[in-house]
Amino acid sequence: MIASDEVAPGLGEALRAAGVEAGGPETLGARVTVVPVSAAKGLEYDHVVVVEPAAIVRAEARGLNRLYVAITRAVSSLRIVHREPLPPALRRAGPGMSAGSGR
């Protein structure tokens, strides 16, 4: 899971409180790895869940660059979870996709 630097620590705590084995990028063997977006560059994961993209964009002047890094860490699958409206760059659906298609 990749989240803004502000959200990531609380996300890891919430997962552990729910009984999910979660650790940071330095933790080997955790079922779920929670990575602050500032530490995601250069990493690759089979499956990535990006949490609250709007918070990533809003966190700093280069927020859209950080979001790009977050969504390009996935090798096999990418999921985005959010409560806030998606940033405009993610609202545009490409050919053959709809904003809610989950692809």
Side-chain angles (χ1 to χ4, degrees):
M1 302 185 91
I2 302 175
S4 71
D5 289 18
E6 181 180 301
V7 170
L11 179 59
E13 291 171 14
L15 288 166
R16 287 187 293 278
V20 176
E21 184 184 343
E26 71 289 337
T27 307
L28 298 177
R31 181 84 174 136
V32 175
T33 303
V34 179
V35 180
V37 71
S38 65
K41 189 172 183 175
L43 301 176
E44 288 187 340
Y45 295 97
D46 288 333
H47 310 284
V48 171
V49 177
V50 175
V51 179
E52 288 298 354
I56 293 171
V57 171
R58 179 176 62 244
E60 61 181 292
R62 298 189 63 218
L64 277 175
N65 297 72
R66 295 277 196 201
L67 180 58
Y68 173 81
V69 168
I71 64 175
T72 59
R73 302 304 89 200
V75 173
S76 298
S77 69
L78 170 67
R79 298 290 184 257
I80 297 173
V81 295
H82 63 96
R83 280 187 154 175
E84 299 179 40
L86 290 171
L90 290 182
R91 285 188 231 147
R92 294 177 283 221
M97 295 180 70
S98 66
S101 72
R103 292 200 248 165

